[in-house]
């Protein structure tokens, strides 16, 4: 650690005003504050800050995402082997390596494009690098199907960072979740790579790993099968068991399938206090209430909790709905906001035949209404207290 | 006073950039969203609006001293409505396909804010020739934005330009390119217009608020 600190101190002068690498000042600044907590303090006024700054919060969220990412990588390999019929003969480690090879370019593209834009903007506006993209850059590759081409991912990331974040003033100013805007962009601009039945399972060999599936291989997500009213089958064509759904061994967006891995992430987030348990809980409550409301329109042989295991419900509830920037800030507001997301998700899944999955649109919708919820909560509090005051007098 | 004196030039030039009806005054957005998914209807729409604004400006300017102030809006409306009907009939006769694509939007030129705005703000106070130039300027300023937006929407949304398959001819689809479906939806027009506004204000500091 000492060595790193000394090295940074040594190269620092060349990034300062007049130094030859001044053009990369924001890049240096970004990395320095990422590696070491900055020692700057406010010069005037009273400033109360938390002990950890937003770079540390973002790092915690990325750590919480890692279980889902690892299981997602393994699952890519597993689905590929199931599709090609080689699951019995392939070692789990080969499956993981295959998933890693498929996943790595997506993560690299997302970070390079997003951070590139952030660095350019920071340099241009003479500001510090904002750290918000650390999480978004990890989320974006995890919420797309494995068959999403890299160039589309790059365009979507650029679109989301520019139009959902930078035009509103950068990290902390965005109204809607950046990663979900990237997904929504793909969803509306290139629907063929994010829906249907040919993008959820990797079917080609990468660097000698994995196996080639037969031409014209198709497999939809579990929710698509539910929406079509058929049996839920996995990549091999056999019916999905509950343990498959729980551990995430089914086709779907890369990070969203494994409920167990997401639960580990949720524990990390809740233990460290980064995410709000109120939002998380109320998302599930909203979802369950709506499932019972629409019980007669849902498949009768499916227990209610199974709906919550499928699709992006858990992933959205844990990592997207709790985003501190775009969710409601007031404590009562968090309950309303979360409940709205859960309820809206099931509503979209049940009532809209075009969208088998509703988590993305539900969160985006509630993101937009979050300021209004906060306003109502604050106003009703003011009104209640005003009433109490006049009663006393 | 010469035909292209400084003042007349201004009447023609300012609506093109500095006072652009779409990007600066934010008028006529409705039709700019609706007709720009293809280049051809956008061009026809731009032309129609240019002709109608210019003609209406001239007519109102000619009779500006005889219009009673109280009923001026009705008089302006009658003139515009007559011109719109003429243009609409001409389109139906000579460019039927495009007029079908434009559907109600040609008729809705009557309610286009740019027209009433120019008649009220300019033609009622100025002589016919400057009014004509002002109308041309505003019409072209509007048409220009429409064409820019439609160019990008058609190119990226359908891969064609004026229905000529550009991207197919240069082999984009063979290397895995896909058309951007978002471009065909109206939100794309909003985003593109916003980008033009952004660019324009970044260039011209006097427009920044």
């Amino acid at each position: 650690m000492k060595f790193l600190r000394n090295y940074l101190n040594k190269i620092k002068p060349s990034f300062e005003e007049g130094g030859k690498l001044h053009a990369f000042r924001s890049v240096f600044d970004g990395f320095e504050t990422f590696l070491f907590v900055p020692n700057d303090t406010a010069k005037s006024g009273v400033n109360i800050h938390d002990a950890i700054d937003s770079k540390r919060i973002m790092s915690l969220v990325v750590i919480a995402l890692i279980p889902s990412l690892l299981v997602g990588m393994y699952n890519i390999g597993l689905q590929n082997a199931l599709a090609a019929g080689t699951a019995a003969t392939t070692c789990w480690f080969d499956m993981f390596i295959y998933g890693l090879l498929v996943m790595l370019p997506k993560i690299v593209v997302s970070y390079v494009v997003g951070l590139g834009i952030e660095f350019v903007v920071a340099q241009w506006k003479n500001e510090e690098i904002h750290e918000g993209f650390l999480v978004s850059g990890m989320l974006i590759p995890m919420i797309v199907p494995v068959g999403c081409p890299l160039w589309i991912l790059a365009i979507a990331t650029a679109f989301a960072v520019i139009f959902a974040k930078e035009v509103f003033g950068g990290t902390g100013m965005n109204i809607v979740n950046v990663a979900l805007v990237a997904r929504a962009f793909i969803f509306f601009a290139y629907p063929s790579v994010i829906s249907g039945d040919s993008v959820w399972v990797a079917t080609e060999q990468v660097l000698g790993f994995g196996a080639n599936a037969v031409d014209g291989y198709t497999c939809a997500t579990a929710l698509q099968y539910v929406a079509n009213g058929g049996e839920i089958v996995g990549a091999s064509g056999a019916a999905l068991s509950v343990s498959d759904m729980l551990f995430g061994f089914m086709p779907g967006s890369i990070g969203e399938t494994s409920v167990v891995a997401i639960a580990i992430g949720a524990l990390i987030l809740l233990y460290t206090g980064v995410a709000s348990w109120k939002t998380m809980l109320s998302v599930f409550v909203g979802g369950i209430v709506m499932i019972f409301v629409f019980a007669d329109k849902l498949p009768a042989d499916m227990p209610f909790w199974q709906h919550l295991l499928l699709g992006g419900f858990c992933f959205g509830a844990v990592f997207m709905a709790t985003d501190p920037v775009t969710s409601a800030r007031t404590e009562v507001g968090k309950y309303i906001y979360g409940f709205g997301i859960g309820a809206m998700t099931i509503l979209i899944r049940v009532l809209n035949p075009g969208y088998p999955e509703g988590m993305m649109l539900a969160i985006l919708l509630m993101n937009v209404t979050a300021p209004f919820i906060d306003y109502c909560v604050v106003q009703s509090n003011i009104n209640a207290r005003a009433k109490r005051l006049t009663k006393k007098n | 006073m010469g035909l292209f004196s400084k003042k007349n030039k201004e009447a023609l030039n300012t609506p093109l950039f500095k006072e652009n009806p779409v990007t600066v005054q934010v008028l006529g957005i409705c039709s700019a969203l609706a007709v720009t998914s293809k280049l051809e209807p956008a061009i026809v729409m731009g032309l129609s609006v240019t002709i109608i604004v210019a003609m209406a400006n001239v007519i109102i300017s000619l009779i500006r001293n005889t219009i009673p102030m109280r009923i001026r809006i009705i008089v302006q409306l009658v003139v515009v409505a007559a011109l719109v009907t003429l243009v609409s009939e001409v389109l139906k006769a000579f460019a039927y396909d495009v007029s079908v694509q434009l559907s109600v939007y040609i008729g809705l030129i009557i309610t286009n804010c740019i027209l009433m705005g120019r008649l009220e703000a300019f033609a009622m106070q100025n002589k016919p020739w400057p009014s004509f130039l002002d109308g041309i300027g505003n019409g072209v300023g509007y048409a220009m934005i429409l064409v820019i937006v439609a160019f990008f929407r058609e190119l990226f949304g359908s891969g064609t330009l004026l229905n000529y398959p550009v991207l197919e001819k240069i082999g984009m689809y063979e290397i895995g390119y896909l058309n951007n479906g978002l471009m065909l939806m109206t939100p794309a027009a909003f985003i593109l217009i916003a980008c033009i506004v952004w660019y324009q204000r970044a260039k011209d500091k006097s427009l920044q608020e």
Side-chain angles (χ1 to χ4, degrees):
Chain A
M1 277 300 135
K2 200 94 187 181
F3 155 76
L4 199 60
R5 183 68 260 179
N6 289 340
Y7 178 70
L8 284 175
N9 285 344
K10 203 181 110 198
I11 62 167
K12 197 169 187 174
S14 55
F15 288 99
E16 275 159 8
E17 199 78 51
K20 59 184 170 192
L21 291 172
H22 182 57
F24 297 99
R25 172 190 49 77
S26 52
V27 180
F28 175 78
D29 208 49
F31 277 110
E32 192 197 7
T33 49
F34 177 69
L35 293 168
F36 292 98
V37 180
N39 248 341
D40 305 339
T41 48
K43 300 273 188 300
S44 66
V46 180
N47 288 273
I48 300 172
H49 271 282
D50 203 325
I52 61 171
D53 60 8
S54 55
K55 276 200 178 72
R56 261 34 74 177
I57 291 182
M58 299 293 178
S59 313
L60 276 174
V61 180
V62 173
I63 291 169
L65 278 167
I66 284 175
S68 307
L69 182 67
L70 294 180
V71 177
M73 284 176 181
Y74 167 69
N75 188 39
I76 294 174
L78 177 69
Q79 298 304 322
N80 169 263
L82 286 174
T86 55
T89 55
T90 315
C91 155
W92 70 270
F93 190 70
D94 282 349
M95 293 180 187
F96 179 78
I97 295 291
Y98 174 78
L100 184 74
L101 291 173
V102 172
M103 190 62 187
L104 213 52
K106 291 191 200 301
I107 298 175
V108 170
V109 163
S110 158
Y111 271 118
V112 166
V113 172
L115 285 180
I117 293 171
E118 293 246 332
F119 281 133
V120 169
V121 170
Q123 192 71 39
W124 174 35
K125 289 184 161 179
N126 225 357
E127 283 173 354
E128 276 178 54
I129 290 276
H130 290 304
E131 47 285 307
F133 198 74
L134 277 182
V135 174
S136 305
M138 187 58 96
L139 283 173
I140 292 171
M142 289 176 75
I143 53 175
V144 296
V146 65
C148 180
L150 293 178
W151 67 271
I152 289 181
L153 201 65
I155 292 177
T157 309
F159 178 88
V161 172
I162 293 173
F163 286 100
K165 192 151 126 193
E166 293 306 340
V167 295
F168 288 106
T171 300
M173 304 290 192
N174 47 319
I175 295 173
V176 290
N177 191 307
V178 178
L180 279 177
V181 170
R183 191 179 200 273
F185 176 83
I186 303 176
F187 192 80
F188 289 110
Y190 306 101
S192 63
V193 302
I194 203 159
S195 55
D197 51 12
S198 57
V199 291
W200 304 101
V201 176
T203 51
E204 275 165 21
Q205 274 190 329
V206 177
L207 298 177
F209 285 95
N212 288 320
V214 288
D215 278 350
Y217 172 83
T218 61
C219 179
T221 58
L223 277 175
Q224 181 76 55
Y225 288 120
V226 174
N228 293 350
E231 193 196 13
I232 306 172
V233 294
S236 61
L240 277 181
S241 68
V242 173
S243 81
D244 283 343
M245 294 178 193
L246 217 50
F247 289 100
F249 303 141
M250 59 183 173
S253 297
I254 296 160
E256 73 177 18
T257 54
S258 173
V259 178
V260 172
I262 293 167
I264 296 172
L267 285 181
I268 296 175
L269 289 180
L270 291 177
Y271 179 72
T272 54
V274 171
S276 156
W277 63 269
K278 293 173 182 167
T279 317
M280 259 186 227
L281 179 76
S282 50
V283 173
F284 284 100
V285 172
I288 292 169
V289 168
M290 266 308 174
I291 290 171
F292 282 112
V293 169
F294 287 107
D296 55 337
K297 291 202 173 190
L298 290 164
D301 54 339
M302 217 168 128
F304 75 93
W305 44 266
Q306 216 160 323
H307 288 280
L308 305 181
L309 302 184
L310 299 177
F313 197 96
C314 291
F315 192 82
V318 171
F319 294 109
M320 304 276 195
T322 56
D323 173 3
V325 177
T326 55
S327 73
R329 310 271 170 109
T330 50
E331 297 303 309
V332 182
K334 281 175 186 166
Y335 288 116
I336 305 170
Y337 168 83
F339 188 87
I341 291 177
M344 199 58 73
T345 304
I346 302 297
L347 205 67
I348 296 171
R349 281 188 189 177
V350 175
L351 293 186
N352 194 328
Y355 306 127
E357 169 63 303
M359 202 61 192
M360 170 183 80
L361 296 171
I363 296 178
L364 286 175
L365 185 71
M366 292 312 286
N367 281 168
V368 178
T369 52
F372 178 66
I373 295 173
D374 281 343
Y375 174 80
C376 290
V377 170
V378 171
Q379 276 303 317
S380 70
N381 192 25
I382 290 173
N383 290 346
R385 296 179 77 160
K387 214 179 251 172
R388 208 164 58 203
L389 197 67
T390 48
K391 213 185 251 174
K392 262 186 193 163
N393 295 342
Chain B
M1 206 158 97
L3 278 183
F4 286 99
S5 66
K6 194 163 170 266
K7 212 174 157 208
N8 286 350
K9 262 192 195 155
E10 237 167 55
L12 185 65
N13 280 339
T14 46
L16 288 183
F17 305 102
K18 228 173 162 59
E19 286 289 319
N20 189 293
V22 182
T23 60
V24 180
Q25 301 178 29
V26 198
L27 299 174
I29 293 290
C30 167
S31 52
L33 300 183
V35 301
T36 51
S37 63
K38 290 258 189 242
L39 201 48
E40 196 183 358
I43 292 172
V44 173
M45 183 74 180
L47 266 180
S48 313
V49 170
T50 310
I51 292 167
I52 293 171
V53 187
M55 298 303 286
N57 260 3
V58 170
I59 295 170
I60 292 295
S61 175
L62 280 173
I63 58 172
R64 70 184 186 281
N65 293 325
T66 54
I67 303 176
M69 273 314 268
R70 285 189 176 177
I71 58 159
R72 66 185 193 285
I73 300 280
I74 298 176
V75 175
Q76 289 164 7
L77 220 83
V78 169
V79 170
V80 176
L83 287 167
V84 168
T85 313
L86 271 177
V87 167
S88 162
E89 293 300 319
V90 168
L91 280 182
K92 271 186 197 145
F94 295 104
Y96 185 71
D97 292 342
V98 181
S99 96
V100 168
Q101 277 178 28
L102 286 169
S103 67
V104 296
Y105 289 96
I106 286 289
L108 283 177
I109 294 177
I110 300 171
T111 59
N112 196 318
C113 322
I114 299 170
L115 270 124
M116 299 307 273
R118 287 340 285 170
L119 295 180
E120 270 290 288
F122 201 91
M124 287 298 285
Q125 285 96 32
N126 287 285
K127 294 206 167 110
W129 175 243
S131 299
F132 176 73
L133 290 179
D134 179 77
I136 294 282
N138 275 286
V140 172
Y142 169 82
M144 200 167 66
I145 303 298
L146 248 64
V147 168
I148 295 173
V149 172
F151 174 84
F152 288 110
R153 283 184 73 183
E154 184 173 352
L155 183 63
F156 293 117
S158 328
T160 58
L161 279 179
L162 289 171
N163 295 328
Y164 179 80
V166 185
L167 294 186
E168 198 186 310
K169 295 283 177 197
I170 59 172
M172 286 292 275
Y173 295 110
E174 283 153 36
I175 55 170
Y177 179 81
L178 289 172
N179 281 332
N180 188 328
L182 190 67
M183 279 289 165
L184 294 178
M185 300 181 195
T186 23
F190 260 127
I191 291 166
L192 284 171
I193 291 177
C195 288
I196 298 172
V197 173
W198 186 1
Y199 174 78
Q200 199 183 4
R201 295 196 177 190
K203 280 262 161 198
D204 190 345
K205 298 275 182 234
S206 69
L207 290 174
Q208 290 176 5
E209 283 144 25

